[in-house]
Amino acid sequence: QEQLVESGGGLVQAGGSLRLSCAASIRTFSSYSMDWFRQAPGKEREFVARISWIGGSTFYADSVKGRFTISRDNAKNTVYLEMNTLKPEDTAVYYCAASTKPYPSRSGDYNYWGQGTQVTVSS
């Protein structure tokens, strides 16, 4: 079964760090752009970070730039999100998503979504 499975979420104090992982059971993983999204209670889902399959280009939301780092290991079919200097406003369910488009822009552009992992940052 082709799927994405996130892990690594948890409870951390403000200023702390977490590393999220997204394990992909999909063929030709290296041909997918991988994104991280998050959704806080009562808020819409928002884009966090992307690593494109074209040259491994990375992109970040302004709110996480300089604190979060996205990376991928194609040999392990896994994408990571290293989160540092966490803030209470980073609290959300974090989702990974895969797209065959190099720069997906709409929900319909994604081929796969994970179930999410909860990140809670206490003040």
Side-chain angles (χ1 to χ4, degrees):
Q1 181 180 357
E2 297 182 321
Q3 61 181 354
L4 303 178
V5 179
E6 302 95 337
S7 62
L11 174 64
V12 64
Q13 288 188 332
S17 300
L18 282 174
R19 187 175 83 153
L20 304 183
S21 300
C22 172
S25 301
I26 55 179
R27 297 175 61 186
T28 62
F29 171 77
S30 61
S31 298
Y32 285 81
S33 289
M34 298 299 298
D35 288 11
W36 285 96
F37 287 82
R38 67 186 182 186
Q39 187 167 18
K43 295 187 177 181
E44 292 189 353
R45 185 172 60 195
E46 64 173 353
F47 169 80
V48 175
R50 168 177 302 149
I51 186 162
S52 174
W53 60 263
I54 295 182
S57 301
T58 57
F59 306 89
Y60 298 92
D62 287 343
S63 58
V64 306
K65 202 171 293 183
R67 299 188 297 121
F68 290 11
T69 302
I70 189 171
S71 61
R72 67 191 298 163
D73 185 338
N74 288 336
K76 295 183 178 180
N77 278 24
T78 301
V79 62
Y80 304 98
L81 186 67
E82 184 75 34
M83 305 186 296
N84 299 312
T85 320
L86 283 161
K87 304 175 181 180
E89 51 264 44
D90 294 318
T91 295
V93 177
Y94 284 71
Y95 300 90
C96 62
S99 175
T100 53
K101 296 183 179 293
Y103 307 113
S105 59
R106 302 174 302 169
S107 180
D109 289 342
Y110 294 91
N111 303 86
Y112 303 97
W113 288 87
Q115 293 300 306
T117 186
Q118 175 71 47
V119 171
T120 303
V121 184
S122 63
S123 57

